[in-house]
């Protein structure tokens, strides 16, 4: 097995970033809100992580959970977050935008990539829900994206290994294919062998009990709803207005 495989650790806290570097990770993807698949971390988290780790730090640029069809307002938020990440010492950004028909939003991806330079740009697993992975890959190569994170359109990279291998061959060195999705110490060798990738994206987490002694069982802040990437919870003007009217009646 080759020893030149780069390990990128996906982390959602500064402590996890430090632990990943200590364990031998060679790059970090810093996110917030991994229960939603990862969103943009706070400025404080980026700055403190940059202060405490020496390996390359890539920052997730994703304004919300759910799908990857973004409004103009959301794209402007992404542009601002890219500028902040740059100012705070990030080495790369991770983003992904699709159009309603499932193709890569090449125009706005290109604009955000330009805003990010000279940082590296990774297109994340939005490619796994694009209508055609090879078509998406060609669009990203044309835009000049540096790498693509993919599970091969499957729940895990091991399950999607055949597709990942196909993308590696199709890329032909024009763009880096980063395999990710359920990769751990039990299957990483198999994923690398089956796909031919030179970079893997891992979590490597363990469950740790909170140190909180007083625990309330009456209030839960994590939503118990079944996730659906294509149903977004957005503020309804009419409902807000009704609440205001009730208070003023």
């Amino acid at each position: 097995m080759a020893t030149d495989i780069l390990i990128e650790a996906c982390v959602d806290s500064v402590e996890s970033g430090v632990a990943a570097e200590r364990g031998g990770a060679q790059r970090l993807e810093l996110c917030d809100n991994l229960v939603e698949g990862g969103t943009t971390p706070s400025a404080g988290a980026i700055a403190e992580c940059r202060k405490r780790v020496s390996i390359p730090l890539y920052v997730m640029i994703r304004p919300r959970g759910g799908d990857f069809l973004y409004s103009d307002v959301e794209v402007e938020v992404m542009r601002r977050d890219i500028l902040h990440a740059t100012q705070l010492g990030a080495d790369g950004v991770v983003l992904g935008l699709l159009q309603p028909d499932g193709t890569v939003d090449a125009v706005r991806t290109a604009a955000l990539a330009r805003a990010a330079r000279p940082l590296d740009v990774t297109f994340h697993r939005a490619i796994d829900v694009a209508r055609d992975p090879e078509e998406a890959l060609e669009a990203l190569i044309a835009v000049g994206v540096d790498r693509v994170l993919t599970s091969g359109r499957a729940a895990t990279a091991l399950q999607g290994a055949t597709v990942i291998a196909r993308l590696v061959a199709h890329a032909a060195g024009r763009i880096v294919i980063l395999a990710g999705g359920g990769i751990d110490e039990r299957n990483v060798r198999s994923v690398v062998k089956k796909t031919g990738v030179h970079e893997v994206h891992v979590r490597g987490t363990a469950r740790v009990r909170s140190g909180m002694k007083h625990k309330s069982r009456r209030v839960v802040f994590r939503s118990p709803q079944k996730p659906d990437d294509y149903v977004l919870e957005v503020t309804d003007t009419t409902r807000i207005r009704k609440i205001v009217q009730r208070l003023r009646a």
Side-chain angles (χ1 to χ4, degrees):
M1 180 62 62
T3 59
D4 61 343
I5 305 301
L6 184 144
I7 298 173
E8 175 182 274
C10 176
V11 301
D12 61 355
S13 70
V14 177
E15 288 88 351
S16 287
V18 171
E21 181 177 36
R22 190 182 302 129
Q26 295 133 297
R27 187 171 68 222
L28 298 180
E29 179 194 83
L30 179 63
C31 305
D32 192 12
N33 202 20
L34 283 174
V35 295
E36 287 275 6
T39 56
T40 306
S42 71
I46 299 170
E48 195 63 21
C49 198
R50 178 70 292 164
K51 174 183 174 183
R52 293 175 182 270
V53 303
S54 60
I55 57 178
L57 174 63
Y58 286 21
V59 174
M60 174 63 77
I61 305 295
R62 188 174 177 225
R64 57 163 171 78
D67 63 26
F68 307 104
L69 176 63
Y70 296 117
S71 69
D72 290 341
V73 172
E74 288 173 324
V75 172
E76 178 59 17
V77 170
M78 295 170 80
R79 186 190 68 82
R80 288 178 177 270
D81 283 338
I82 286 171
L83 295 179
H84 290 152
T86 302
Q87 293 164 359
L88 292 168
D91 298 290
V93 295
V94 183
L95 51 83
L97 302 87
L98 299 177
Q99 299 204 73
D101 64 358
T103 58
V104 169
D105 187 340
V107 172
R108 297 200 291 184
T109 298
L112 292 177
R114 285 194 299 271
R117 296 307 182 193
L119 275 58
D120 270 14
V121 178
T122 298
F123 193 91
H124 56 50
R125 288 184 60 202
I127 194 173
D128 290 326
V129 292
R131 72 180 185 185
D132 181 271
E134 281 91 354
E135 176 188 53
L137 200 62
E138 285 297 332
L140 295 171
I141 290 168
V143 164
V145 166
D146 299 289
R147 70 180 42 73
V148 178
L149 170 62
T150 178
S151 65
R153 310 183 84 190
T156 70
L158 189 58
Q159 292 171 344
T162 300
V163 173
I164 297 174
R166 201 173 78 209
L167 291 176
V168 170
H170 188 91
R174 295 175 295 164
I175 190 170
V176 176
I177 305 299
L178 170 63
I183 298 178
D184 59 24
E185 64 275 19
R186 295 166 297 182
N187 61 30
V188 63
R189 290 172 65 90
S190 294
V191 170
V192 170
K193 184 177 180 180
K194 290 174 181 288
T195 63
V197 297
H198 292 281
E199 298 188 1
V200 293
H201 175 91
V202 306
R203 287 288 310 280
T205 58
R207 294 177 66 87
V208 177
R209 282 282 179 186
S210 163
M212 192 69 188
K213 291 183 170 54
H214 171 72
K215 299 176 183 178
S216 172
R217 301 299 183 188
R218 291 173 293 187
V219 179
V220 177
F221 291 99
R222 285 181 172 167
S223 174
Q225 294 178 347
K226 184 178 179 181
D228 185 340
D229 288 339
Y230 302 100
V231 177
L232 306 179
E233 290 284 337
V234 298
T235 300
D236 186 320
T237 300
T238 301
R239 293 196 67 189
I240 297 295
R241 185 175 292 119
K242 286 180 179 178
I243 294 168
V244 172
Q245 288 171 345
R246 277 294 180 90
L247 288 173
R248 292 177 178 174

